[in-house]
Amino acid sequence: MKKILITGGAGFIGSHVVRLFVEKYPDYHIYNLDALTYAGNLENLKDIESKSNYSFIKADITDAEVMNELFNKNQFDGVIHLAAESHVDRSISDPLAFIKTNILGTVNLLNAAKLAWKDEMDKHLFYHISTDEVYGSLGETGLFTETTAYDPRSPYSSSKASSDHLVRAYHHTYGMPVVISNCSNNYGPNQFPEKLIPLSINNIKNNKPIPIYGKGENIRDWLYVLDHARAIDDIYHQGKNGETYNIGGINEWTNIDLIHKLCEVMDKKLGREPGESAKLITFVKDRAGHDMRYAIDASKLYNELKWHPSLQFEEGIELTVDWYLNNEEWLNNIISGDYENYYKEQYKER
Ligand code: NAD
Ligand code: DAU
Protein backbone atom coordinates (compact mmCIF):
# COMPACT_ATOMS: atom_id res chain seq x y z
CA MET A 1 0.00 0.00 0.00
CA LYS A 2 1.42 3.39 -1.01
CA LYS A 3 1.58 5.95 1.78
CA ILE A 4 0.93 9.51 0.71
CA LEU A 5 1.24 12.51 2.99
CA ILE A 6 -1.03 15.44 2.07
CA THR A 7 -0.33 18.58 4.09
CA GLY A 8 -3.03 21.22 4.59
CA GLY A 9 -5.73 18.66 3.88
CA ALA A 10 -8.24 20.27 6.25
CA GLY A 11 -8.18 23.50 4.24
CA PHE A 12 -10.11 24.51 1.14
CA ILE A 13 -8.17 22.91 -1.73
CA GLY A 14 -6.49 20.27 0.42
CA SER A 15 -9.82 18.79 1.54
CA HIS A 16 -10.88 18.26 -2.08
CA VAL A 17 -7.51 16.68 -2.90
CA VAL A 18 -7.71 14.36 0.13
CA ARG A 19 -11.25 13.26 -0.79
CA LEU A 20 -10.30 12.62 -4.41
CA PHE A 21 -7.27 10.50 -3.45
CA VAL A 22 -9.05 8.56 -0.66
CA GLU A 23 -11.97 7.69 -2.96
CA LYS A 24 -10.07 7.10 -6.19
CA TYR A 25 -7.13 5.14 -4.79
CA PRO A 26 -8.28 2.52 -2.23
CA ASP A 27 -4.80 0.98 -2.45
CA TYR A 28 -3.16 4.17 -1.16
CA HIS A 29 -3.15 5.19 2.48
CA ILE A 30 -3.70 8.96 2.70
CA TYR A 31 -2.26 10.78 5.71
CA ASN A 32 -3.73 14.26 6.10
CA LEU A 33 -1.36 16.44 8.14
CA ASP A 34 -2.81 19.74 9.27
CA ALA A 35 -2.25 22.14 12.19
CA LEU A 36 -5.93 23.16 12.11
CA THR A 37 -5.26 26.88 12.04
CA TYR A 38 -8.26 29.22 11.63
CA ALA A 39 -8.40 27.99 7.98
CA GLY A 40 -8.35 24.26 8.74
CA ASN A 41 -11.67 22.56 9.34
CA LEU A 42 -12.22 18.82 9.74
CA GLU A 43 -15.90 19.35 8.95
CA ASN A 44 -14.70 19.55 5.35
CA LEU A 45 -13.87 15.83 5.47
CA LYS A 46 -16.73 14.40 7.56
CA ASP A 47 -17.89 12.14 4.72
CA ILE A 48 -14.56 10.31 4.41
CA GLU A 49 -13.10 10.44 7.93
CA SER A 50 -14.00 6.82 8.74
CA LYS A 51 -12.52 5.32 5.56
CA SER A 52 -9.89 2.70 6.32
CA ASN A 53 -7.34 4.22 3.92
CA TYR A 54 -7.47 7.67 5.63
CA SER A 55 -5.71 9.01 8.74
CA PHE A 56 -5.54 12.49 10.20
CA ILE A 57 -2.38 13.81 11.87
CA LYS A 58 -2.63 17.07 13.79
CA ALA A 59 0.81 18.64 13.50
CA ASP A 60 2.50 21.91 12.66
CA ILE A 61 4.98 21.93 9.77
CA THR A 62 7.02 24.61 11.50
CA ASP A 63 8.06 21.97 14.07
CA ALA A 64 11.15 20.30 12.54
CA GLU A 65 11.47 17.62 15.20
CA VAL A 66 7.89 16.45 14.79
CA MET A 67 8.27 16.38 10.99
CA ASN A 68 11.42 14.22 11.28
CA GLU A 69 9.68 11.84 13.67
CA LEU A 70 6.65 11.49 11.41
CA PHE A 71 8.71 10.78 8.28
CA ASN A 72 10.88 8.35 10.17
CA LYS A 73 7.89 6.49 11.62
CA ASN A 74 5.67 6.38 8.52
CA GLN A 75 8.07 6.12 5.56
CA PHE A 76 5.80 8.08 3.21
CA ASP A 77 6.19 7.25 -0.49
CA GLY A 78 5.21 10.72 -1.57
CA VAL A 79 4.19 14.16 -0.32
CA ILE A 80 1.63 16.58 -1.72
CA HIS A 81 2.32 19.81 0.11
CA LEU A 82 -0.54 22.31 0.36
CA ALA A 83 -0.26 23.55 3.96
CA ALA A 84 0.26 27.29 3.91
CA GLU A 85 -0.92 30.63 5.11
CA SER A 86 -2.93 31.57 2.02
CA HIS A 87 -4.66 34.94 2.38
CA VAL A 88 -2.93 37.97 0.84
CA ASP A 89 -4.63 40.50 3.15
CA ARG A 90 -3.46 38.63 6.25
CA SER A 91 0.08 38.58 4.84
CA ILE A 92 -0.02 42.37 4.65
CA SER A 93 -0.89 42.69 8.35
CA ASP A 94 1.24 39.76 9.61
CA PRO A 95 4.06 38.81 7.19
CA LEU A 96 6.00 36.74 9.74
CA ALA A 97 3.31 34.06 10.02
CA PHE A 98 3.72 33.55 6.25
CA ILE A 99 7.50 33.35 6.44
CA LYS A 100 7.27 30.76 9.21
CA THR A 101 4.72 28.41 7.67
CA ASN A 102 5.34 28.89 3.96
CA ILE A 103 9.15 29.04 4.00
CA LEU A 104 10.36 27.45 7.23
CA GLY A 105 7.56 24.86 7.20
CA THR A 106 8.38 23.83 3.63
CA VAL A 107 12.10 23.49 4.44
CA ASN A 108 11.24 21.35 7.48
CA LEU A 109 9.26 18.99 5.23
CA LEU A 110 12.04 18.92 2.63
CA ASN A 111 14.64 18.11 5.31
CA ALA A 112 12.49 15.39 6.85
CA ALA A 113 11.90 13.85 3.40
CA LYS A 114 15.59 14.11 2.48
CA LEU A 115 16.58 12.24 5.63
CA ALA A 116 13.88 9.56 5.41
CA TRP A 117 14.36 8.99 1.66
CA LYS A 118 18.16 9.16 1.52
CA ASP A 119 18.73 5.51 0.53
CA GLU A 120 16.05 5.37 -2.17
CA MET A 121 15.47 8.98 -3.17
CA ASP A 122 14.35 7.99 -6.69
CA LYS A 123 11.39 5.99 -5.44
CA HIS A 124 9.76 9.05 -3.85
CA LEU A 125 8.16 12.33 -4.92
CA PHE A 126 7.77 15.72 -3.27
CA TYR A 127 4.94 17.64 -4.97
CA HIS A 128 4.77 21.31 -3.99
CA ILE A 129 1.52 23.22 -4.59
CA SER A 130 2.16 26.84 -5.46
CA THR A 131 0.40 29.86 -6.89
CA ASP A 132 0.42 32.00 -10.03
CA GLU A 133 1.06 35.03 -7.77
CA VAL A 134 4.79 34.21 -7.75
CA TYR A 135 4.95 35.60 -11.30
CA GLY A 136 3.82 39.07 -10.21
CA SER A 137 1.24 41.21 -11.98
CA LEU A 138 0.34 41.37 -15.68
CA GLY A 139 -0.67 44.38 -17.74
CA GLU A 140 -3.62 44.26 -20.14
CA THR A 141 -2.10 41.52 -22.29
CA GLY A 142 0.06 38.43 -21.88
CA LEU A 143 -0.15 35.23 -19.86
CA PHE A 144 2.04 33.61 -17.21
CA THR A 145 3.96 30.62 -18.58
CA GLU A 146 6.23 28.23 -16.69
CA THR A 147 9.24 30.30 -17.79
CA THR A 148 7.90 33.71 -16.73
CA ALA A 149 10.43 35.30 -14.36
CA TYR A 150 9.41 35.35 -10.72
CA ASP A 151 8.32 38.79 -9.50
CA PRO A 152 6.32 38.33 -6.29
CA ARG A 153 4.94 41.52 -4.81
CA SER A 154 3.13 40.66 -1.56
CA PRO A 155 4.47 38.98 1.58
CA TYR A 156 2.25 35.99 0.69
CA SER A 157 3.51 35.60 -2.88
CA SER A 158 7.11 36.26 -1.80
CA SER A 159 6.89 33.49 0.77
CA LYS A 160 5.42 31.11 -1.83
CA ALA A 161 8.13 32.09 -4.33
CA SER A 162 10.81 31.38 -1.71
CA SER A 163 9.34 27.96 -1.06
CA ASP A 164 9.27 27.19 -4.81
CA HIS A 165 12.96 28.11 -5.06
CA LEU A 166 13.80 25.91 -2.09
CA VAL A 167 11.96 22.93 -3.56
CA ARG A 168 13.93 23.36 -6.81
CA ALA A 169 17.15 23.74 -4.79
CA TYR A 170 16.53 20.38 -3.07
CA HIS A 171 15.98 18.82 -6.50
CA HIS A 172 19.21 20.21 -7.96
CA THR A 173 21.38 19.93 -4.86
CA TYR A 174 20.21 16.71 -3.25
CA GLY A 175 18.56 14.94 -6.19
CA MET A 176 15.13 14.99 -4.60
CA PRO A 177 12.40 14.08 -7.12
CA VAL A 178 10.01 17.05 -7.18
CA VAL A 179 7.19 18.60 -9.17
CA ILE A 180 5.68 22.03 -8.67
CA SER A 181 2.40 23.45 -9.93
CA ASN A 182 1.34 27.09 -9.96
CA CYS A 183 -2.41 27.58 -10.08
CA SER A 184 -4.70 30.56 -10.56
CA ASN A 185 -7.56 31.59 -8.22
CA ASN A 186 -9.73 28.71 -7.04
CA TYR A 187 -13.40 28.90 -6.11
CA GLY A 188 -15.97 26.35 -4.96
CA PRO A 189 -17.33 24.61 -1.84
CA ASN A 190 -15.49 24.86 1.51
CA GLN A 191 -13.52 28.04 0.78
CA PHE A 192 -12.98 30.13 3.90
CA PRO A 193 -15.20 33.24 3.74
CA GLU A 194 -12.29 35.71 3.94
CA LYS A 195 -11.76 35.21 0.17
CA LEU A 196 -13.69 37.29 -2.38
CA ILE A 197 -16.32 34.82 -3.60
CA PRO A 198 -17.46 33.19 -0.32
CA LEU A 199 -17.18 36.54 1.51
CA SER A 200 -19.49 38.09 -1.08
CA ILE A 201 -21.95 35.17 -1.02
CA ASN A 202 -22.16 35.46 2.78
CA ASN A 203 -22.62 39.23 2.69
CA ILE A 204 -25.23 39.11 -0.07
CA LYS A 205 -27.16 36.48 1.85
CA ASN A 206 -27.10 38.65 4.97
CA ASN A 207 -27.77 41.93 3.12
CA LYS A 208 -24.38 43.33 4.13
CA PRO A 209 -22.18 45.58 1.92
CA ILE A 210 -19.99 43.74 -0.61
CA PRO A 211 -16.54 45.37 -0.22
CA ILE A 212 -14.82 45.84 -3.59
CA TYR A 213 -11.23 47.04 -3.38
CA GLY A 214 -10.38 50.12 -5.47
CA LYS A 215 -12.45 50.31 -8.64
CA GLY A 216 -12.97 46.56 -9.01
CA GLU A 217 -10.89 46.57 -12.20
CA ASN A 218 -8.34 43.96 -11.06
CA ILE A 219 -8.49 40.73 -13.00
CA ARG A 220 -8.26 37.15 -11.73
CA ASP A 221 -8.39 33.84 -13.65
CA TRP A 222 -10.87 31.57 -11.81
CA LEU A 223 -10.76 27.76 -11.67
CA TYR A 224 -13.28 25.44 -9.98
CA VAL A 225 -11.53 23.73 -7.06
CA LEU A 226 -12.37 20.17 -8.18
CA ASP A 227 -10.65 20.85 -11.49
CA HIS A 228 -7.56 21.91 -9.54
CA ALA A 229 -7.75 18.67 -7.51
CA ARG A 230 -7.98 16.65 -10.76
CA ALA A 231 -4.94 18.48 -12.13
CA ILE A 232 -3.02 17.70 -8.92
CA ASP A 233 -3.90 14.02 -9.36
CA ASP A 234 -2.65 14.07 -12.98
CA ILE A 235 0.55 15.91 -12.10
CA TYR A 236 1.31 13.68 -9.11
CA HIS A 237 1.02 10.58 -11.28
CA GLN A 238 2.25 11.76 -14.66
CA GLY A 239 4.27 14.93 -14.08
CA LYS A 240 7.94 14.78 -15.05
CA ASN A 241 10.57 14.92 -12.32
CA GLY A 242 11.87 18.46 -11.81
CA GLU A 243 9.15 20.10 -13.91
CA THR A 244 6.72 22.92 -13.22
CA TYR A 245 3.12 23.00 -14.49
CA ASN A 246 0.85 26.03 -14.63
CA ILE A 247 -2.83 25.34 -13.92
CA GLY A 248 -5.65 27.66 -15.01
CA GLY A 249 -9.01 27.72 -16.66
CA ILE A 250 -8.85 30.48 -19.32
CA ASN A 251 -11.47 32.29 -17.29
CA GLU A 252 -10.55 35.93 -16.64
CA TRP A 253 -12.93 38.27 -14.85
CA THR A 254 -12.60 41.77 -13.49
CA ASN A 255 -13.67 41.70 -9.85
CA ILE A 256 -16.62 44.00 -10.54
CA ASP A 257 -17.96 41.89 -13.43
CA LEU A 258 -17.57 38.75 -11.35
CA ILE A 259 -19.50 40.28 -8.46
CA HIS A 260 -22.29 41.43 -10.81
CA LYS A 261 -22.51 37.87 -12.12
CA LEU A 262 -22.60 36.52 -8.56
CA CYS A 263 -25.33 39.03 -7.60
CA GLU A 264 -27.39 37.90 -10.61
CA VAL A 265 -27.13 34.25 -9.50
CA MET A 266 -27.89 35.14 -5.87
CA ASP A 267 -30.99 37.21 -6.86
CA LYS A 268 -32.30 34.17 -8.69
CA LYS A 269 -31.51 31.69 -5.89
CA LEU A 270 -32.87 33.93 -3.10
CA GLY A 271 -35.99 34.94 -5.05
CA ARG A 272 -34.95 38.59 -5.10
CA GLU A 273 -35.79 41.17 -7.80
CA PRO A 274 -33.09 41.36 -10.51
CA GLY A 275 -30.58 44.03 -9.44
CA GLU A 276 -31.42 43.89 -5.73
CA SER A 277 -28.21 42.19 -4.53
CA ALA A 278 -26.02 44.46 -6.70
CA LYS A 279 -27.19 47.42 -4.61
CA LEU A 280 -24.93 46.03 -1.86
CA ILE A 281 -21.76 46.65 -3.91
CA THR A 282 -19.55 49.12 -2.04
CA PHE A 283 -16.19 50.38 -3.29
CA VAL A 284 -13.66 50.48 -0.46
CA LYS A 285 -9.99 51.39 0.03
CA ASP A 286 -7.72 49.36 -2.23
CA ARG A 287 -5.47 46.52 -1.06
CA ALA A 288 -1.85 47.72 -0.58
CA GLY A 289 0.27 46.68 -3.58
CA HIS A 290 -2.80 45.15 -5.25
CA ASP A 291 -1.70 43.05 -8.26
CA MET A 292 -3.64 44.16 -11.33
CA ARG A 293 -4.03 41.02 -13.40
CA TYR A 294 -3.26 37.30 -13.23
CA ALA A 295 -3.82 35.01 -16.22
CA ILE A 296 -2.42 31.56 -16.85
CA ASP A 297 -1.14 29.83 -19.96
CA ALA A 298 -1.76 26.17 -19.06
CA SER A 299 -0.96 24.76 -22.50
CA LYS A 300 1.88 22.60 -21.14
CA LEU A 301 -0.61 20.81 -18.89
CA TYR A 302 -3.22 20.60 -21.66
CA ASN A 303 -0.74 19.22 -24.21
CA GLU A 304 1.48 16.98 -22.10
CA LEU A 305 -0.94 15.59 -19.51
CA LYS A 306 -4.22 16.11 -21.44
CA TRP A 307 -5.86 17.83 -18.48
CA HIS A 308 -8.63 20.33 -19.21
CA PRO A 309 -11.03 22.18 -16.91
CA SER A 310 -14.34 20.33 -16.84
CA LEU A 311 -16.67 23.17 -15.88
CA GLN A 312 -17.70 26.47 -17.41
CA PHE A 313 -17.68 29.34 -14.89
CA GLU A 314 -21.47 29.84 -15.15
CA GLU A 315 -21.97 26.25 -14.03
CA GLY A 316 -19.27 26.38 -11.33
CA ILE A 317 -20.57 29.56 -9.74
CA GLU A 318 -24.11 28.12 -9.52
CA LEU A 319 -22.76 24.98 -7.84
CA THR A 320 -20.76 27.13 -5.44
CA VAL A 321 -23.71 29.34 -4.49
CA ASP A 322 -25.92 26.26 -4.02
CA TRP A 323 -23.30 24.70 -1.77
CA TYR A 324 -23.06 27.76 0.49
CA LEU A 325 -26.83 28.15 0.66
CA ASN A 326 -27.26 24.45 1.52
CA ASN A 327 -24.47 24.43 4.11
CA GLU A 328 -25.54 27.24 6.42
CA GLU A 329 -24.28 25.42 9.49
CA TRP A 330 -20.76 25.08 8.03
CA LEU A 331 -20.75 28.80 7.27
CA ASN A 332 -22.29 29.86 10.58
CA ASN A 333 -19.72 27.84 12.54
CA ILE A 334 -16.95 29.72 10.79
CA ILE A 335 -18.25 33.27 10.81
CA SER A 336 -18.59 33.49 14.56
CA GLY A 337 -15.77 34.30 16.99
CA ASP A 338 -12.38 34.80 15.41
CA TYR A 339 -13.76 35.51 11.97
CA GLU A 340 -15.91 38.35 13.30
CA ASN A 341 -12.84 39.93 14.92
CA TYR A 342 -10.82 39.53 11.73
CA TYR A 343 -13.62 41.06 9.66
CA LYS A 344 -14.00 44.10 11.92
CA GLU A 345 -10.26 44.75 11.90
CA GLN A 346 -9.76 44.12 8.16
CA TYR A 347 -12.64 46.28 6.93
CA LYS A 348 -12.80 48.99 9.62
CA GLU A 349 -10.97 51.67 7.65
CA ARG A 350 -12.10 50.67 4.19
P1 NAD B 1 -6.39 27.34 3.10
O1 NAD B 1 -5.92 28.56 3.83
O2 NAD B 1 -7.84 27.13 2.89
O3 NAD B 1 -5.84 26.04 3.84
C1 NAD B 1 -4.54 25.95 4.33
C2 NAD B 1 -4.47 24.73 5.26
O4 NAD B 1 -3.12 24.64 5.76
C3 NAD B 1 -5.39 24.83 6.48
O5 NAD B 1 -6.07 23.62 6.69
C4 NAD B 1 -4.43 25.12 7.63
O6 NAD B 1 -4.89 24.60 8.88
C5 NAD B 1 -3.17 24.41 7.16
N1 NAD B 1 -1.98 25.00 7.77
C6 NAD B 1 -1.64 26.32 7.82
N2 NAD B 1 -0.48 26.46 8.49
C7 NAD B 1 -0.06 25.21 8.83
C8 NAD B 1 1.07 24.73 9.53
N3 NAD B 1 2.00 25.55 10.02
N4 NAD B 1 1.20 23.40 9.69
C9 NAD B 1 0.26 22.53 9.20
N5 NAD B 1 -0.85 22.97 8.55
C10 NAD B 1 -1.01 24.28 8.38
O7 NAD B 1 -5.59 27.36 1.74
P2 NAD B 1 -6.04 26.92 0.27
O8 NAD B 1 -6.71 28.05 -0.38
O9 NAD B 1 -6.69 25.61 0.34
O10 NAD B 1 -4.60 26.77 -0.41
C11 NAD B 1 -3.88 25.54 -0.32
C12 NAD B 1 -2.57 25.67 -1.05
O11 NAD B 1 -2.81 26.00 -2.42
C13 NAD B 1 -1.67 26.78 -0.51
O12 NAD B 1 -0.33 26.31 -0.56
C14 NAD B 1 -1.87 27.93 -1.47
O13 NAD B 1 -0.72 28.74 -1.53
C15 NAD B 1 -2.12 27.19 -2.77
N6 NAD B 1 -2.97 27.90 -3.77
C16 NAD B 1 -4.19 28.40 -3.40
C17 NAD B 1 -4.99 28.98 -4.39
C18 NAD B 1 -6.37 29.53 -4.05
O14 NAD B 1 -6.98 30.16 -4.90
N7 NAD B 1 -6.90 29.30 -2.87
C19 NAD B 1 -4.55 29.08 -5.70
C20 NAD B 1 -3.26 28.57 -6.01
C21 NAD B 1 -2.51 27.97 -5.04
O1 DAU C 1 -3.99 33.54 -7.71
C1 DAU C 1 -3.98 32.53 -6.75
C2 DAU C 1 -4.23 33.12 -5.38
O2 DAU C 1 -5.61 33.48 -5.34
C3 DAU C 1 -3.90 32.15 -4.24
O3 DAU C 1 -2.52 31.88 -4.27
C4 DAU C 1 -4.30 32.75 -2.89
O4 DAU C 1 -4.06 31.82 -1.87
C5 DAU C 1 -5.77 33.10 -2.95
O5 DAU C 1 -6.15 33.72 -1.74
C6 DAU C 1 -6.07 34.02 -4.13
O6 DAU C 1 -5.49 35.34 -3.92
P1 DAU C 1 -6.29 36.69 -4.29
O7 DAU C 1 -5.73 37.78 -3.50
O8 DAU C 1 -6.40 36.86 -5.75
O9 DAU C 1 -7.78 36.25 -3.74
P2 DAU C 1 -8.88 37.07 -2.91
O10 DAU C 1 -10.12 36.23 -2.91
O11 DAU C 1 -8.36 37.56 -1.61
O12 DAU C 1 -9.14 38.33 -3.83
C7 DAU C 1 -9.58 38.19 -5.17
C8 DAU C 1 -9.67 39.59 -5.75
O13 DAU C 1 -10.74 40.31 -5.10
C9 DAU C 1 -8.43 40.45 -5.54
O14 DAU C 1 -8.25 41.28 -6.66
C10 DAU C 1 -8.77 41.31 -4.31
C11 DAU C 1 -10.27 41.49 -4.44
N1 DAU C 1 -11.02 41.62 -3.18
C12 DAU C 1 -10.81 40.67 -2.20
C13 DAU C 1 -11.49 40.73 -1.00
C14 DAU C 1 -11.24 39.72 0.09
C15 DAU C 1 -11.96 42.62 -2.99
O15 DAU C 1 -12.17 43.44 -3.91
N2 DAU C 1 -12.64 42.69 -1.82
C16 DAU C 1 -12.43 41.80 -0.81
O16 DAU C 1 -13.08 41.94 0.27
Side-chain angles (χ1 to χ4, degrees), residues 13 85-89 130-134 144 156-157 160 183-186 191 193-200 203 210-214 216-222 255-256 258-259 282 284-287 290-292 294 342-343 346-347 350:
I13 302 170
E85 288 292 340
S86 69
H87 191 38
V88 174
D89 290 323
S130 191
T131 169
D132 60 356
E133 300 198 11
V134 299
F144 296 134
Y156 164 68
S157 54
K160 291 296 292 187
C183 188
S184 61
N185 286 63
N186 284 216
Q191 188 169 29
E194 65 191 350
K195 308 280 167 66
L196 179 67
I197 291 182
L199 181 145
S200 303
N203 286 15
I210 310 166
I212 304 290
Y213 297 164
E217 288 168 347
N218 304 66
I219 293 174
R220 298 291 182 266
D221 181 354
W222 294 92
N255 291 338
I256 189 66
L258 180 139
I259 293 302
T282 310
V284 298
K285 190 171 145 221
D286 210 351
R287 172 184 280 173
H290 197 171
D291 287 342
M292 184 42 96
Y294 306 143
Y342 162 79
Y343 196 92
Q346 174 64 21
Y347 292 95
R350 290 186 185 271

Side-chain angles (χ1 to χ4, degrees), residues 12 55 92 108 124 178 184 225 243 262 293 295 310-311 314:
F12 166 48
S55 306
I92 294 167
N108 285 340
H124 298 85
V178 306
S184 61
V225 63
E243 294 283 316
L262 183 63
R293 175 172 166 255
S310 68
L311 278 187
E314 281 68 15

Side-chain angles (χ1 to χ4, degrees), residues 123-143:
K123 295 205 171 136
H124 298 85
L125 179 65
F126 192 101
Y127 179 3
H128 178 60
I129 307 299
S130 191
T131 169
D132 60 356
E133 300 198 11
V134 299
Y135 299 123
S137 180
L138 291 164
E140 280 175 20
T141 57
L143 299 170

Side-chain angles (χ1 to χ4, degrees), residues 15-26:
S15 60
H16 290 280
V17 176
V18 166
R19 180 176 300 100
L20 188 154
F21 273 70
V22 166
E23 287 182 342
K24 185 168 171 186
Y25 300 106

